[in-house]
């Protein structure tokens, strides 16, 4: 007897349908759930970052308040209590979380009675006190106190007045940290002497140093920690939130004793299966540690528990719908299978045609089932894409009025749908009628044409500007009559904001935020056009900082950036809002000034700009004074075309620098001639070495005791093929500025050493050759190596080479200069100071330098015979040099009277026109061969006999 199939058994097709449907539904459910969890996590992270940023900003404000208060004492000027009260009253009113402002004064033990008398004059009965475990007690006798001298407000903080905090490890530890870092430091939480009930408070401290770097006290701000955090969150509108909680701790760990604020309860775990699915899940928690004022601050942000279902509606609906569709499809396949088997049993005996017909019917049914599944999947994908994308779908009627807007339009755009339905797009957005693109769009849709990428902006309910991009297609009925429009829209606000930021960055300087060279040209064109229309002049000012390189070299590029930002703010603040201030490059700024009827242009404006720049600047703990040189070009004026304004202002600025810096000059055509001369000299100078146009002249140095030539100074001359013999005064300064002096100086050194060696080999005596060293060469990293290379290559004895240095080369930074001079001296060369007495002479520095020779400047020698002051200076230099075991050479000796005076006062050597002017190498060699010498004075007995 055959076995009967159980009525509930599934066919293979039904089983596959059921398994595949459930697997697909589960996979889609997991994928959408993952997206939902990612969106929730991203939203929570963004909100947590907002709260962390708000707390950081509050902490930074507290540090900034302390820094501003510290400046009151750091200037070194006496501060009265009334000044302190007036200064802090506005800060107390603005920052309610501040308990008090303190100035802790360092008092020596022997000054205690006098300081207590000062405090009693402010508050009778005040003495030095300290906090102990038993309470506040009088301070015992100590060698040094750190007392609360200035206190604001006094009301409510009286117990802290006169309090000695030198025994408070928290405050003193924070003070040591602040001295070491140069920035404000924070204590941990502690109880205040003036609080009957302890509150979580901490103190920010910053030392006050005198000009010698000795700490005279410190400024402190006492912060009520919970109020600071609460005010920071409330100021950002983040305090009263029911779905996210914040806890802030004064430390790295979540210690309840160090908690400053906690805005919500701790979430409970789900208690049952139903609650696990539909009740509150475990909240998200995010911990962040900030390093502010030298201490860690922990911020824990937790989301409030939320039911599962509202946040996972899409995935849940997808799962339920997939299961239902799968069950229905399985039932349909099961029924169809059974029906097919019955039909096959009935028609088994029929003809082959009926079998083929039945087979085609089965195939059609399978195809229809597949089509139904594909349609369902397509609809499902469409719904998912619409829900996950930033687009929305809209429809309009034949009168072009909106009838439907879907796709969470309000949530994505911030604009309510009710304000859009029943209106045309230009009624909803009237500014379309005012723009050319808007009028073109209206004409396009009235012509029943499709449109794409229409961009327009609107304002949402919060007052924010939003940008939309829409596409649309007309809809016609079977007769060709317009039924309306339908299409999609997208919110492109972020893209537009990004484009605006890119545009701003392209036209503004990244460091200072001022217009850059690109925007400057546009503003200059506008100013010139205005000047042409109004008939009023305009000025272009080019501003260059005088000591910017010194700040960069001594303080670093970060300090240089701070200086540039400070100068940019001062320039902007000293001018009108209609004026343009731009950063040209490096430390150069350009200002464009246009004259108006009520505001004529006058030189006082330029002076005001110079005065604003010259104000002291605090870079770290040091105060700098930076001046500027300004060139001004006027338009319209003779010789200044519109396209040369900046160039002419630059020429005038260089003229101001030549006049000693820290001044301004208006451009004149004569300056342009000087500039062209400079360009011509600089251009020709770059090729002079390659063309062997430089020559050396030598001026003999004569021993005043023997009259013999003992050395010579090598002096460069430029034999230009067109300009002739160019004196050094015309090209040395340009070579220094362009850096060509390094190559020229290296050539001079090598050529002079080679020539001296050649004369020695020719038997003309062992002479000393003196070569000047420029500031650029002295600062070069390979100076010692190049000196060694020249001596080795030429074979010259190092004792026959004398390096001449000016005082200004090493007086800016003495310590490394001393080391470098000793390294040079170790090579065996002689060192001399040129033009001694005209620079920054210091006996303490001079004793540290390994110098062999002092050269008296020609400006003193010229008047020694008839100017008592110059004669005294020369006599003092000779005596000083001999006391330090140094030789003395006098420059510029031109008369016999000068020579006699120098001889009578013990000068060792001389050089000057009295004996010989600088000579070409051939003439100097002829002088050596002739053994020319200086006539010696007659002995005293011969003079007496005569």
């Amino acid at each position: 007897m055959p076995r009967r199939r159980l009525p509930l058994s599934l066919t293979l097709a039904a089983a596959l349908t059921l398994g595949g449907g459930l697997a697909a539904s589960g996979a889609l459910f997991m994928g959408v759930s993952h997206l939902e969890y990612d969106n929730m996590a991203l939203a929570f992270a963004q909100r947590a970052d907002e709260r962390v940023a708000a707390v950081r900003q509050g902490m930074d404000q507290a540090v900034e308040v302390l820094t501003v208060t510290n400046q009151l004492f750091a200037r070194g000027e006496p501060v009265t209590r009334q000044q302190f009260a007036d200064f802090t009253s506005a800060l107390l009113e603005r920052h309610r979380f501040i308990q008090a402002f303190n100035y802790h004064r360092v008092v020596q033990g022997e000054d205690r009675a006098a300081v207590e008398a000062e405090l009693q004059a402010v508050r009778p009965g005040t003495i030095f006190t300290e906090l102990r475990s038993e309470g506040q007690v009088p301070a015992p006798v100590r060698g040094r106190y750190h007392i609360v001298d200035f206190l604001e407000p006094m009301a409510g903080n009286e117990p802290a007045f006169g309090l000695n905090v030198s025994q408070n490890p928290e405050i003193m530890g924070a003070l040591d940290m602040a001295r070491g870092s140069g920035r404000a430091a924070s204590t941990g939480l502690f109880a205040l002497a003036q609080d009957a009930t302890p509150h979580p408070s901490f103190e920010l401290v910053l030392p006050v140093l005198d000009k010698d770097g000795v700490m005279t006290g410190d400024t402190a701000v006492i912060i009520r920690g919970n109020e600071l955090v609460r005010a920071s969150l409330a100021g950002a509108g983040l305090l009263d939130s029911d779905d996210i909680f914040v806890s802030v701790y004064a430390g790295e760990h979540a210690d309840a004793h160090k908690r400053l604020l906690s805005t919500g309860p701790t979430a409970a775990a789900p208690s049952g299966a139903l609650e696990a699915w539909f009740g509150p899940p475990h909240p998200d928690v995010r911990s962040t540690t900030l390093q502010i004022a030298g201490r860690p601050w922990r911020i824990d942000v937790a989301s409030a528990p939320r039911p599962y279902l509202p946040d996972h509606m899409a995935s849940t609906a997808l799962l339920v719908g997939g299961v239902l569709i799968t069950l229905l499809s399985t039932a349909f396949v099961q029924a169809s299978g059974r029906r097919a088997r019955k039909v096959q049993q009935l028609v088994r005996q029929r003809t082959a045609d009926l079998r083929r017909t039945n087979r085609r019917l089965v195939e059609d049914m399978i195809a229809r089932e597949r089509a139904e599944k594909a349609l369902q999947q397509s609809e499902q994908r469409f719904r998912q894409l619409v829900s996950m994308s930033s687009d929305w779908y809209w429809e309009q009627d034949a009168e072009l009025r909106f009838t439907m807007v879907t796709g969470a339009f309000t949530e994505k755009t911030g604009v309510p749908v009710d304000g859009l339905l029943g209106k045309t797009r230009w009624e909803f957005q009237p500014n379309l009628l005012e723009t050319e693109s808007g009028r073109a769009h209206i004409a396009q849709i009235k012509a029943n044409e499709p449109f794409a990428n229409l961009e327009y902006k609107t304002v949402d309910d919060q007052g924010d500007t939003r940008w939309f991009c829409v596409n649309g297609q007309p809809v016609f009925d079977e007769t060709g009559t317009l039924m309306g429009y339908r299409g999609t829209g997208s919110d492109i606000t972020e893209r537009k904001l990004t484009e605006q930021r890119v545009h701003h960055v392209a036209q503004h300087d990244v460091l200072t935020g001022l217009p850059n060279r690109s925007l400057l040209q546009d503003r200059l064109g506008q100013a010139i056009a205005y000047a042409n229309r109004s008939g009023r002049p305009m000025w272009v000012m080019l501003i260059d900082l005088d000591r910017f390189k010194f700040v960069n070299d001594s303080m670093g590029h970060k300090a240089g950036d701070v200086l540039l930002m400070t100068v940019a703010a001062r320039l902007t603040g000293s001018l009108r809002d209609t004026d343009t201030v731009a950063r040209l490059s490096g430390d150069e700024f350009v200002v464009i000034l246009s004259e108006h009827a009520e505001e004529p242009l006058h030189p006082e404006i330029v002076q005001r700009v110079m005065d604003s720049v010259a104000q002291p600047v605090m870079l770290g703990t040091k105060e700098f004074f930076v001046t500027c040189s300004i060139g001004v070009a006027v338009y319209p004026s003779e010789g200044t075309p519109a396209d040369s304004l900046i160039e002419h202002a630059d020429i005038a600025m260089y003229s101001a620098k030549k006049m000693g810096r820290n001044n301004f000059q208006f451009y004149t055509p004569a300056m342009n001639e000087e500039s062209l001369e400079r360009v011509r000299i600089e251009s020709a100078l770059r090729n002079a070495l390659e063309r062997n146009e430089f020559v050396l002249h030598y001026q003999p140095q004569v021993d005043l005791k023997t009259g013999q030539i003992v050395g010579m100074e090598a002096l460069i001359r430029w034999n230009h093929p067109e300009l002739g013999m160019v004196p050094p005064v015309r090209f040395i300064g340009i070579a220094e500025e362009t850096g060509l002096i390094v190559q020229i100086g290296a050539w001079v050194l090598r050529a002079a050493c080679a020539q001296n060696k050649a004369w020695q080999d020719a038997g003309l005596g062992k002479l000393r050759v003196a070569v000047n060293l420029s500031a650029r060469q002295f600062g070069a990293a390979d100076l010692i190596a190049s000196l060694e290379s020249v001596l080795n290559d030429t074979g010259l004895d190092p004792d026959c080479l004398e390096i001449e240095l000016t005082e200004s080369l090493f007086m800016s930074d003495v310590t490394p200069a001393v080391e470098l001079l000793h390294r040079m001296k170790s090579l065996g060369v002689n060192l001399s100071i040129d033009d001694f007495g005209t620079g920054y002479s210091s006996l303490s520095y001079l004793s540290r330098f390994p110098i062999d020779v002092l050269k008296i400047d020609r400006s003193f020698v010229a008047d020694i015979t008839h100017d008592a002051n110059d004669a005294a200076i020369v006599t003092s230099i000779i005596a000083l040099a001999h006391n330090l075991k140094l030789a003395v050479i006098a420059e510029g000796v031109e008369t016999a009277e000068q020579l006699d005076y120098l001889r009578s006062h013990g000068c060792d050597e001389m050089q000057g026109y009295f004996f010989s002017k600088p000579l070409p190498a051939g003439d100097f060699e002829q002088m050596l061969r002739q053994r020319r010498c200086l006539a010696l004075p007659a002995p005293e007995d011969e003079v007496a006999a005569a």
Side-chain angles (χ1 to χ4, degrees), residues 254-384:
D255 187 351
H257 297 290
K258 296 183 179 181
R259 184 166 55 208
L260 297 179
L261 178 69
S262 181
T263 63
T266 303
S271 58
L274 185 61
E275 185 177 356
W277 279 96
F278 300 99
H282 290 290
D284 291 328
V285 178
R286 181 171 182 177
S287 297
T288 303
T289 301
L290 304 179
Q291 288 291 334
I292 300 176
R295 286 188 177 272
W297 304 84
R298 176 180 173 131
I299 304 173
D300 292 345
V301 183
S303 64
R306 287 176 53 86
Y308 175 86
L309 193 55
D311 292 329
H312 299 274
M313 186 64 72
S315 60
T316 303
L318 178 65
L319 178 61
V320 173
V323 171
L324 291 177
I325 292 173
T326 299
L327 293 177
L328 291 175
S329 300
T330 302
F332 178 77
V333 173
Q334 178 75 1
S336 299
R338 289 185 177 182
R339 194 162 48 249
R341 284 195 300 272
K342 290 179 181 179
V343 171
Q344 289 174 1
Q345 291 174 0
L346 292 174
V347 302
R348 191 172 296 169
Q349 304 300 324
R350 296 185 180 183
T351 61
D353 293 339
L354 291 177
R355 291 192 183 97
R356 287 193 297 270
T357 301
N358 185 57
R359 191 177 299 113
R360 284 194 297 267
L361 176 61
V362 173
E363 292 174 353
D364 290 343
M365 291 175 61
I366 295 174
R368 184 168 64 252
E369 291 172 2
R370 293 175 178 172
E372 290 176 354
K373 290 182 181 180
L375 180 60
Q376 292 170 358
Q377 293 174 353
S378 176
E379 181 180 358
Q380 193 174 30
R381 285 196 299 269
F382 174 75
R383 293 181 180 276
Q384 291 174 352

Side-chain angles (χ1 to χ4, degrees), residues 28 83 165 244 262 580 726 787:
L28 290 174
Q83 288 175 332
V165 299
I244 191 166
S262 181
T580 295
V726 182
L787 284 174

Side-chain angles (χ1 to χ4, degrees), residues 450-741:
F451 63 90
N453 299 325
L454 172 66
E455 296 181 359
Y456 64 94
K457 64 181 179 179
T458 185
V459 179
D460 61 15
D461 289 348
Q462 285 73 38
D464 297 329
T465 301
R466 309 294 291 266
W467 281 87
F468 301 153
C469 178
V470 294
N471 304 286
Q473 290 281 345
V475 179
F476 302 96
D477 61 9
E478 59 275 7
T479 64
T481 303
L482 179 69
M483 300 295 293
Y485 269 81
R486 60 188 174 194
T488 59
S490 300
D491 186 344
I492 59 172
T493 303
E494 288 298 327
R495 191 192 80 193
K496 284 292 184 179
L497 293 178
T498 301
E499 292 176 354
Q500 293 173 2
R501 287 192 292 268
V502 170
H503 181 71
H504 182 273
V505 169
Q507 292 194 330
H508 289 79
D509 178 53
V510 176
L511 177 63
T512 63
L514 296 177
N516 59 14
R517 189 185 298 269
S518 174
L519 185 55
L520 173 65
Q521 294 298 329
D522 179 69
R523 297 279 180 86
L524 181 60
Q526 296 179 18
I528 293 172
Y530 176 78
N532 292 332
R533 291 195 308 271
S534 63
R536 297 183 179 277
M538 61 157 290
W539 290 1
V540 173
M541 297 165 47
L542 195 143
I543 304 168
D544 184 87
L545 303 184
D546 292 332
R547 299 185 63 203
F548 180 71
K549 186 177 184 302
F550 172 74
V551 173
N552 257 355
D553 293 343
S554 59
M555 296 289 291
H557 289 284
K558 184 176 292 186
D561 291 344
V562 172
L563 176 60
L564 289 176
M565 291 187 288
T566 302
V567 171
R570 289 179 177 179
L571 292 176
T572 304
S574 65
L575 297 168
R576 304 166 298 185
D577 293 339
T578 56
D579 300 329
T580 295
V581 181
R583 183 184 178 198
L584 192 62
S585 63
D587 60 338
E588 289 187 338
F589 298 86
V590 174
V591 175
I592 301 175
L593 305 172
S594 296
E595 182 175 278
H596 303 286
E598 68 282 2
E599 295 177 322
L601 298 177
H602 50 81
E604 292 180 2
I605 298 175
V606 187
Q607 187 62 49
R608 184 172 70 236
V609 171
M610 293 184 62
D611 294 341
S612 68
V613 173
Q615 297 299 314
V617 180
M618 290 300 300
L619 299 178
T621 59
K622 297 183 180 179
E623 188 175 58
F624 281 83
F625 292 86
V626 179
T627 60
C628 65
S629 300
I630 301 178
V632 185
V634 180
Y635 178 83
S637 66
E638 182 180 356
T640 304
D643 57 353
S644 301
L645 284 170
I646 295 179
E647 178 185 352
H648 287 182
D650 186 45
I651 294 173
M653 183 271 293
Y654 273 105
S655 178
K657 283 189 175 293
K658 288 182 179 179
M659 297 183 65
R661 306 175 187 271
N662 193 22
N663 68 85
F664 63 90
Q665 292 291 313
F666 281 79
Y667 171 80
T668 61
M671 294 179 182
N672 195 32
E673 296 177 3
E674 295 178 5
S675 177
L676 293 176
E677 169 70 8
R678 171 190 171 87
V679 171
R680 182 171 59 176
I681 292 292
E682 179 179 344
S683 177
L685 197 60
R686 294 186 181 276
N687 299 320
L689 273 177
E690 298 178 1
R691 297 174 180 174
N692 296 320
E693 295 177 358
F694 289 117
V695 295
L696 290 182
H697 285 193
Y698 300 89
Q699 186 170 33
Q701 295 174 337
V702 181
D703 189 316
L704 294 182
K705 292 181 179 179
T706 64
Q708 300 295 321
I709 299 175
V710 294
M712 61 278 189
E713 181 179 3
L715 301 171
I716 190 171
R717 297 292 186 267
W718 182 12
N719 189 10
H720 192 274
E722 297 178 0
L723 301 177
M725 192 64 72
V726 182
V729 69
R730 290 184 61 185
F731 68 87
I732 290 297
I734 298 176
E736 285 276 4
E737 294 178 10
T738 58
L740 294 173
I741 193 66

Side-chain angles (χ1 to χ4, degrees), residues 415-433:
V415 178
V417 175
D418 295 341
L420 186 61
L421 296 178
K423 296 181 180 179
T424 62
R425 182 168 282 109
W426 53 88
E427 290 175 343
F428 168 68
Q429 193 63 32
N431 59 8
L432 286 175
L433 298 171

